[in-house]
Amino acid sequence: MLVFGGLPLFYMELALGQYYRSGCISVWRHICPALKGLGYAICIIDLYVGMHYNTIIGWAVYYLVESFQPILPWLSCDNEWNTDNCTLIKDIANLTDSEGATSPAREFYERKVLEMHLSDGVDNLGTMRWPLVLSVLVVFVLVYFSLWKGVRSTGKAVWITALAPYFVLFILLGRGVTLPGASDGIYYYLTPQWEKLKTPKVWIDAATQIFFSLGPGFGTLLALSSYNKFHNNCYRDAIITSSINCLTSFLAGFVIFSVLGYMAKVQNKSIDKVGLEGPGLVFIVYPEAIATMPGSNFWSIIFFLMLITLGLDSTFGGLEAIITAFCDEYPTLLSRNREVFVGLLLVVVFLLSLPTCTQGGMYLVNFLNIYGPGISILFVVFVEAVAVCWLYGVDRFSSDVEKMIGHRPNLFWRTCWNYITPWFILFIFVFSIITYEDLRTEDYIYPKWSIHIGWMMTMSSLMCIPLYMVYMFIKTPGSWQERIAKMIKPVDPADMIVYSTTPNYGTSV
């Protein structure tokens, strides 16, 4: 899925952004002007992501602060928020009936951090969790001072936020592999179950992992590559970056499964019964493991520092995509006042994210994660691939790449762009629709009215595509044949772009 789907899309977006030096809105005037609505759709999707993703980083900030206490608060069952069902990890294995028993880490997460027990779900979100509001505010302040000056400030910030996680990852790996039971977890991680290849869901999961990990369609690649020098080797960048990305995921698997093997041994369970999906893995399972280690405060601090830096990296990209898109589209109004625009944007996103800081905020985080970017981003990237590969044309696109790096993409890339990549995305999208089930969690079923609102959110971004087509058709003068011709005819970049020699545009990201 990486070789035939993710990597060609990654390479394509890097080349597009670098050649046309435009964000996700303006770039479409050079490909197919009628599809500029794609750019607005991407910005709306990134806005939905910002509304809940920064809240998750805020949870990590909260945990980091709590990690400086003399004794980690999720270490015992003697706290005011614990229930009678709270049982220490080492004691759960000795219970004849562990049904209903909960760990201190789970109760800390659900009853102290989130206070989910005081909410009935999306019908009644409860009151605001002010410690979480403060934590999320800290995140937005950090983001602002990393983005306000453009790539000049972001480029400095990512030296820390991109490299620090590797340092921490290797420390955690060194600790994880020395734990009792770690070898069982790693063996479980590396042992393939070949019969699973007959299951379509495994292929979909593989494609989805590659797709959302590399991030085409979110505008980030277009935005950051637009600041590259024109003759930068984007082909080399695509190969190196995507390879490091996947190798990092593979390395992180050893860190996670060594600890899961340890927890399985402590709880006397099989490994597949220990893990949790989503936030539960990093806010329940891993803190549980950390709490049982000598020097638990140290391990907790570096773990949540790693989560925060990883999260900041991701939110930098999504928000920079919005900022670059609008600054490129409205340069006179916004580019000259970037600091003010970035500040106003982050204030709006912060205010929109406040409902996720309520006692029922976790329900909204799950909701926004599914109906914000979930299905809509797949359709957006499919249209993007069709526009570049079939409407604009692979031959023309290959010539653009040749002007930048000195040679045309080889037969493999042209074949992927022509015949494989668009179908790759369509396959994921169609199967996601076929296998769709209404959102529900282990112990909560979302009401029907919320599902309807979710689909309205999904359509709110997708509707930008046809609405802009209608707007452009009405605005364009001439007969209907002339209007359609102008709508699909790309604008020559020679008539549009003057390459800047300022430091802001001369920096390779």
Side-chain angles (χ1 to χ4, degrees):
M1 289 300 177
L2 167 68
V3 172
F4 293 104
L7 189 51
L9 285 169
F10 192 87
Y11 182 16
M12 182 184 79
E13 285 205 2
L14 285 187
L16 277 178
Q18 181 173 307
Y19 185 80
Y20 290 113
R21 305 178 72 88
S22 302
C24 61
I25 297 177
S26 302
V27 71
W28 293 105
R29 66 164 65 106
H30 310 295
I31 306 299
C32 179
L35 290 177
K36 192 184 283 187
L38 269 175
Y40 291 102
I42 290 171
C43 290
I44 292 177
I45 291 171
D46 286 335
L47 183 64
Y48 288 145
V49 173
M51 287 167 57
H52 75 278
Y53 192 82
N54 293 293
T55 300
I56 298 176
I57 306 174
W59 297 347
V61 171
Y62 186 96
Y63 269 82
L64 177 63
V65 173
E66 293 290 328
S67 299
F68 285 95
Q69 293 193 27
I71 300 176
L72 293 178
W74 58 87
L75 192 59
S76 70
C77 293
D78 302 327
N79 305 288
E80 60 181 357
W81 59 82
N82 292 127
T83 66
D84 294 336
N85 291 327
C86 182
T87 308
L88 298 179
I89 292 296
K90 60 184 180 63
D91 296 332
I92 291 180
N94 299 324
L95 294 177
T96 54
D97 182 13
S98 61
E99 188 72 25
T102 57
S103 67
R106 177 183 284 275
E107 292 203 348
F108 176 78
Y109 173 63
E110 295 178 351
R111 299 180 66 85
K112 172 60 175 175
V113 180
L114 304 181
E115 293 188 354
M116 293 177 61
H117 62 290
L118 299 178
S119 169
D120 300 327
V122 292
D123 293 301
N124 176 21
L125 293 175
T127 59
M128 199 70 70
R129 289 282 294 123
W130 294 111
L132 293 184
V133 173
L134 181 59
S135 299
V136 174
L137 179 60
V138 169
V139 172
F140 276 94
V141 171
L142 289 173
V143 171
Y144 176 74
F145 285 107
S146 298
L147 294 179
W148 69 324
K149 293 293 186 182
V151 293
R152 286 173 292 180
S153 56
T154 310
K156 295 174 182 176
V158 297
W159 278 104
I160 298 173
T161 58
L163 297 180
Y166 284 97
F167 176 71
V168 176
L169 205 60
F170 279 107
I171 293 176
L172 293 174
L173 177 64
R175 180 65 183 116
V177 296
T178 61
L179 295 170
S183 58
D184 296 332
I186 294 174
Y187 180 79
Y188 179 86
Y189 173 48
L190 296 178
T191 304
Q193 296 172 299
W194 298 111
E195 67 277 7
K196 296 288 187 180
L197 292 178
K198 301 176 183 178
T199 307
K201 186 177 183 303
V202 169
W203 294 86
I204 294 298
D205 286 345
T208 303
Q209 159 64 18
I210 288 297
F211 179 77
F212 284 101
S213 179
L214 291 177
F218 287 95
T220 305
L221 303 178
L222 287 169
L224 296 183
S225 63
S226 70
Y227 295 100
N228 281 341
K229 295 178 181 179
F230 184 74
H231 292 294
N232 174 66
N233 192 338
C234 56
Y235 171 68
R236 176 201 60 199
D237 291 350
I239 297 295
I240 293 176
T241 307
S242 58
S243 299
I244 292 176
N245 178 77
C246 289
L247 289 173
T248 302
S249 297
F250 185 62
L251 173 66
F254 287 92
V255 176
I256 294 297
F257 277 88
S258 62
V259 172
L260 289 180
Y262 166 65
M263 292 302 294
K265 186 176 184 65
V266 170
Q267 299 180 34
N268 196 23
K269 291 182 178 180
S270 60
I271 295 173
D272 60 325
K273 302 295 183 183
V274 175
L276 293 171
E277 294 182 354
L281 180 63
V282 293
F283 292 111
I284 297 177
V285 176
Y286 218 91
E288 281 178 351
I290 288 172
T292 64
M293 301 177 188
S296 55
N297 291 75
F298 169 75
W299 299 113
S300 181
I301 289 169
I302 66 169
F303 176 70
F304 287 108
L305 274 175
M306 181 186 72
L307 285 186
I308 292 168
T309 52
L310 285 172
L312 287 174
D313 267 342
S314 297
T315 201
F316 288 164
L319 292 171
E320 182 62 47
I322 300 176
I323 295 165
T324 299
F326 280 94
C327 286
D328 286 350
E329 185 66 13
Y330 308 102
T332 304
L333 177 63
L334 299 180
S335 289
R336 297 176 181 177
N337 304 287
R338 180 185 170 99
E339 293 90 344
V340 177
F341 173 57
V342 172
L344 291 175
L345 174 65
L346 292 182
V347 167
V348 170
V349 178
F350 172 70
L351 293 176
L352 291 174
S353 67
L354 285 180
T356 63
C357 297
T358 57
Q359 292 165 336
M362 181 62 184
Y363 301 108
L364 284 182
V365 168
N366 290 332
F367 181 80
L368 288 167
N369 184 49
I370 296 299
Y371 293 105
I375 293 177
S376 54
I377 193 67
L378 296 175
F379 184 77
V380 162
V381 178
F382 170 67
V383 177
E384 178 183 310
V386 168
V388 175
C389 301
W390 296 345
L391 296 182
Y392 186 74
V394 170
D395 286 340
R396 185 190 299 181
F397 179 62
S398 299
S399 298
D400 294 343
V401 174
E402 184 178 14
K403 293 175 185 176
M404 292 188 294
I405 65 176
H407 60 84
R408 291 171 65 85
N410 60 36
L411 181 62
F412 169 78
W413 300 109
R414 298 199 302 273
T415 301
C416 285
W417 289 327
N418 254 326
Y419 307 110
I420 300 177
T421 301
W423 296 110
F424 166 80
I425 297 299
L426 182 62
F427 168 69
I428 304 173
F429 174 72
V430 171
F431 200 85
S432 297
I433 295 294
I434 293 174
T435 59
Y436 167 79
E437 294 179 355
D438 286 347
L439 179 61
R440 62 188 303 167
T441 61
E442 185 179 346
D443 52 4
Y444 181 71
I445 300 176
Y446 283 73
K448 279 294 182 181
W449 66 264
S450 67
I451 303 300
H452 297 326
I453 292 178
W455 279 106
M456 290 172 62
M457 285 179 56
T458 299
M459 294 306 299
S460 67
S461 56
L462 297 183
M463 285 303 295
C464 291
I465 302 172
L467 286 177
Y468 189 85
M469 290 180 180
V470 173
Y471 164 76
M472 189 173 182
F473 182 82
I474 295 173
K475 189 184 74 169
T476 304
S479 64
W480 68 269
Q481 296 97 330
E482 292 172 334
R483 295 182 184 189
I484 293 176
K486 292 176 181 177
M487 288 171 63
I488 62 176
K489 180 182 178 181
V491 177
D492 189 340
D495 299 332
M496 296 292 299
I497 298 176
V498 177
Y499 293 110
S500 173
T501 56
T502 60
N504 189 38
Y505 287 86
T507 302
S508 179
V509 181

